[in-house]
Amino acid sequence: MSTQLSALLARAGAPLLDESNATEILEAGGADESFLLLFCGDPAQRPEVLDVAVIFPELLKAFSGRLRGAVVATSAEKALGKIYQVDVFPSLAVVRGGAAVGVIPRIRDWSEYVAKIDAMLDQAAGSVLRQGPRVTITYSHKGAEA
């Protein structure tokens, strides 16, 4: 993790999440506690990571009392990304009861973050992201020769 990114994330005061402590941290407050997880990715490949890292602590302040935060360790992003359905970096994932409620990929406008996170927090506690493929490939006979 770059020095600049580390400094930005230190502002958030959020714990670093990896495979060894994810269950303990995310389930410590019970099934009704919601977390905002930051999946950074490599800032050298994705410069918008730094923008999302600046927004992350501000979102935690905006949703204070409704949402706790955690930063996913670079070494655990692939494994935890599979669990919490994160395919794109950087992403913010809202997790409740150990399951993903929703994911917001890439950089967004502030109003979009607020609206999406608010909607995710308002969902029923048992509601999680749908399972299965995110893309369905179909075949069209349009233009096919007989």
Side-chain angles (χ1 to χ4, degrees):
M1 192 175 291
S2 75
T3 307
Q4 186 179 17
L5 182 58
S6 296
L8 288 171
L9 295 177
R11 257 187 49 205
L16 191 63
L17 203 67
D18 62 26
E19 295 165 287
S20 68
N21 66 4
T23 302
E24 177 186 336
I25 291 172
L26 297 177
E27 295 179 3
D32 292 336
E33 186 171 45
S34 297
F35 275 85
L36 184 65
L37 304 184
L38 172 60
F39 287 80
C40 293
D42 182 3
Q45 293 179 351
R46 297 170 182 91
E48 67 271 18
V49 167
L50 298 175
D51 296 328
V52 177
V54 169
I55 292 167
F56 178 69
E58 298 304 318
L59 287 169
L60 294 178
K61 286 179 194 172
F63 288 96
S64 179
R66 294 181 68 196
L67 192 62
R68 290 183 51 201
V71 178
V72 177
T74 305
S75 60
E77 285 179 335
K78 188 174 182 179
L80 294 179
K82 286 181 184 178
I83 294 169
Y84 300 116
Q85 301 179 16
V86 174
D87 299 323
V88 177
F89 299 107
S91 283
L92 295 172
V94 174
V95 174
R96 183 184 307 118
V101 177
V103 176
I104 306 170
R106 299 189 175 94
I107 187 75
R108 305 289 177 171
D109 289 333
W110 177 258
S111 60
E112 190 174 348
Y113 279 124
V114 171
K116 286 183 179 226
I117 292 170
D118 198 41
M120 290 177 203
L121 291 175
D122 288 341
Q123 288 179 5
S127 177
V128 296
L129 285 174
R130 63 180 167 78
Q131 300 296 317
R134 292 183 182 209
V135 176
T136 303
I137 299 173
T138 59
Y139 177 75
S140 170
H141 293 285
K142 184 177 182 179
E145 302 273 329

